Amino acid sequence: MAEWQEVLCGHRVISNSWQNLTVLNTVNGQISHWFDTLPTPRAPLPGDQDADVCIVGAGYTGLWTAYYLKKADPSLRIAILEARFAGFGASGRNGGWLSGLVPGDRHRMAKLYGRDKVLAWQKALNEAVDEVIAVADAEGIDAGAVKGGTLEIARNPAQAARLAASIAEERSWGVDVTELSREQAAERIRFDGLVSAYHNPHCARIQPAALARGLADAVERLGVTIYEQSPVTEISQGRAVTARGTVRAPIVLRATEGFTAALPGQRRAWLPMNSSMIATEPIPAHVWDEIGWQGRETVGDSAHGFFYAQRTVDDRIAIGGRSVPYRYASRTDVDGQVPPKTIRLLTDVLHAILPQVRDVPIAHGWCGVLAVPRDWEASVVLDRATGLGWAGGYVGHGVTATNLAGRTLADLVCNRATPLTELPWVGHRSRNWEPEPLRWLGVRGLYIAYKLADRHEAGGRPTTSPIAKVADVITRKPH
């Protein structure tokens, strides 16, 4: 028996061999590992209020939008309504990749809006990595940022073929990636079974909840009012409604990302996709000497059921993947709780790539929800006729994109024509997802197909499995 897992007296048992069965006190949920302690929420909305701009959602999108609006016009009265507390959603649960990854399909957007606009979009996202770091420094936010770039790795021939094609693809969009041999990659991080890799410089490792909480404090210092514990039940022209009162404002901006489906009329707008993570206990120095990872690069792989990872500020490894990607009828998690098998599966992935940490306990498992539009394209929209706007649908690439979206929304609200308001995602609209049970069957089928494709390729197939190719065509999912 190679693996064990059960629950004993409140402890989770996870082990990779029967010879080394270990009882782990693994925390499950409680939002995420990025919160040392859960924050004390700010006061809720005290009753009906008037504002110039009302923002629904105190994640990265809402906070960045408020930050740049206040910088542009300090006289604006800005109110943010948040269901729980700032950073509760994906902003406080993600993998901590402050990257230039585009939240969409560059080829599809180029066909719709022109290649030059997509090139400008990619350049703006790359530059936004440095913008976030600069604002964090200016505002005294200790987000643990280290700009070590991203290491993308391949661990079998099919993955290596995709990775080689990806190098040419990234370069064609102006991304200066560096191809690495197996030996060169091992000088950075000594992964088991690595075949090839490339390095993309446009990424920084961050502690995501620290950025979210620090940004919330920064916008408050600028004079923005954040009402927490104030879930919005309706957004319509000129108002956002809660059980505690209504905020009336000529501009109402939706920044609810993966929780958008809970709002009236938005059930099929964006699909709430789940992503799960685990974090180890702090790893001893002698083990780090075996692993390397001195550059604090973020790491991902070229599998269809990919992983993403970082070396944390406190010298743990945090690694994530999809696991249970979608819950029927667009339901979301309960404070980040994941099925116990998810912790086991992610632990298996970690131990496969870094067997050096097999004896390091898993401290925490959690999940978060991100938003996926039907065409997998993020958008930034302001309808001047109604004053209603939104930004989101980042398909998992939102840590940097939210900053660019916030700056863009600020320009739109202030009626300023800038290079940002000309980017291709401005004004883009996606069609709705199919009704249930079709969307549940579709997403479930997609990820079953990708698991099968990964198994197919792990057997030594030199090219991408046809199973994955068919799944990509059916779902229009970008690669």
Side-chain angles (χ1 to χ4, degrees):
M1 187 178 294
E3 298 169 356
W4 295 74
Q5 180 191 28
E6 55 186 304
V7 175
L8 296 176
C9 301
H11 293 78
R12 182 156 297 109
V13 177
I14 302 176
S15 179
N16 287 296
S17 69
W18 61 269
Q19 296 100 332
N20 188 27
L21 187 64
T22 307
V23 177
L24 302 178
N25 199 7
T26 303
V27 177
N28 187 342
Q30 296 184 20
I31 314 305
S32 81
H33 183 71
W34 305 121
F35 292 96
D36 293 334
T37 58
L38 295 185
T40 301
R42 294 171 172 84
L45 183 70
D48 292 348
Q49 301 287 319
D50 292 324
D52 297 313
V53 179
C54 176
I55 299 171
V56 180
Y60 290 151
T61 299
L63 294 171
W64 282 124
T65 303
Y67 182 84
Y68 289 106
L69 275 172
K70 263 296 189 180
K71 287 289 188 178
D73 185 351
S75 69
L76 286 174
R77 298 171 301 160
I78 302 173
I80 300 178
L81 296 172
E82 166 57 43
R84 295 285 294 275
F85 56 80
F88 170 79
S91 299
R93 309 191 203 183
N94 63 79
W97 285 38
L98 181 64
S99 79
L101 292 170
V102 169
D105 185 323
R106 290 172 296 199
H107 287 283
R108 187 183 304 148
M109 294 295 270
K111 288 180 181 178
L112 291 172
Y113 305 110
R115 178 176 171 81
D116 287 346
K117 285 194 173 186
V118 177
L119 284 167
W121 190 27
Q122 179 66 78
K123 184 174 183 290
L125 285 162
N126 292 345
E127 293 170 347
V129 175
D130 295 323
E131 170 70 9
V132 172
I133 294 171
V135 172
D137 288 344
E139 297 293 343
I141 301 171
D142 183 6
V146 178
K147 194 179 180 186
T150 293
L151 196 65
E152 188 79 8
I153 68 171
R155 300 183 65 247
N156 61 46
Q159 290 183 23
R162 282 197 298 277
L163 188 138
S166 181
I167 291 171
E169 172 76 5
E170 292 303 314
R171 289 173 176 169
S172 76
W173 294 105
V175 182
D176 49 340
V177 299
T178 301
E179 186 174 4
L180 302 174
S181 67
R182 179 169 54 189
E183 293 74 21
Q184 288 171 323
E187 290 174 4
R188 294 173 177 267
I189 308 171
R190 288 178 281 280
F191 288 113
D192 191 59
L194 186 141
V195 175
S196 62
Y198 73 70
H199 180 259
N200 180 338
H202 303 293
C203 188
R205 182 280 316 267
I206 65 166
Q207 207 282 29
L211 177 61
R213 300 300 294 173
L215 191 55
D217 293 340
V219 300
E220 279 191 317
R221 290 194 297 270
L222 291 173
V224 174
T225 304
I226 303 175
Y227 298 109
E228 297 183 337
Q229 311 170 81
S230 302
V232 170
T233 56
E234 178 190 344
I235 297 174
S236 58
Q237 183 173 349
R239 65 180 194 156
V241 180
T242 80
R244 297 176 177 273
T246 297
V247 175
R248 295 177 293 268
I251 300 291
V252 181
L253 305 176
R254 190 185 79 226
T256 48
E257 193 59 3
F259 297 102
T260 300
L263 291 167
Q266 301 297 326
R267 174 70 67 182
R268 292 164 54 197
W270 291 342
L271 186 141
M273 189 79 76
N274 298 287
S275 198
S276 303
M277 296 197 73
I278 58 171
T280 68
E281 293 288 355
I283 295 171
H286 73 273
V287 178
W288 283 119
D289 289 341
E290 296 176 26
I291 295 170
W293 215 334
Q294 299 305 311
R296 272 62 175 178
E297 301 93 340
T298 59
V299 180
D301 76 338
S302 301
H304 302 291
F306 58 89
F307 76 81
Y308 52 94
Q310 67 148 282
R311 178 176 176 174
T312 69
V313 174
D314 55 353
D315 281 334
R316 307 168 190 261
I317 293 174
I319 183 170
R322 286 290 182 263
S323 185
V324 180
Y326 175 69
R327 293 177 171 88
Y328 189 84
S330 296
R331 296 194 305 273
T332 54
D333 63 88
V334 179
D335 289 359
Q337 291 181 14
V338 293
K341 69 178 181 179
T342 295
I343 297 173
R344 183 191 68 210
L345 291 172
L346 289 173
T347 302
D348 290 345
V349 172
L350 174 60
H351 291 173
I353 59 173
L354 289 171
Q356 302 94 322
V357 301
R358 282 184 179 275
D359 294 329
V360 179
I362 303 301
H364 203 145
W366 72 96
C367 70
V369 61
L370 53 101
V372 178
R374 183 62 182 88
D375 61 0
W376 300 77
E377 306 290 352
S379 58
V380 180
V381 176
L382 178 63
D383 184 338
R384 297 209 168 277
T386 63
L388 297 174
W390 66 84
Y394 303 115
V395 297
H397 298 330
V399 179
T400 305
T402 51
N403 173 272
L404 186 60
R407 284 187 279 147
T408 305
L409 270 179
D411 285 346
L412 292 171
V413 170
C414 295
N415 201 20
R416 298 186 302 202
T418 70
L420 298 188
T421 61
E422 296 299 315
L423 295 177
W425 62 346
V426 176
H428 178 79
R429 295 175 186 258
S430 307
R431 69 179 178 88
N432 283 345
W433 282 86
E434 291 78 5
E436 294 291 22
L438 294 179
R439 65 178 180 271
W440 182 84
L441 290 170
V443 176
R444 182 173 175 82
L446 169 68
Y447 281 91
I448 289 174
Y450 285 148
K451 285 181 181 180
L452 291 173
D454 280 332
R455 290 178 187 172
H456 194 189
E457 295 172 7
R461 180 184 173 84
T463 58
T464 295
S465 168
I467 301 171
K469 291 180 178 179
V470 171
D472 286 346
V473 170
I474 292 173
T475 62
R476 293 172 57 85
K477 181 178 180 292
H479 254 280

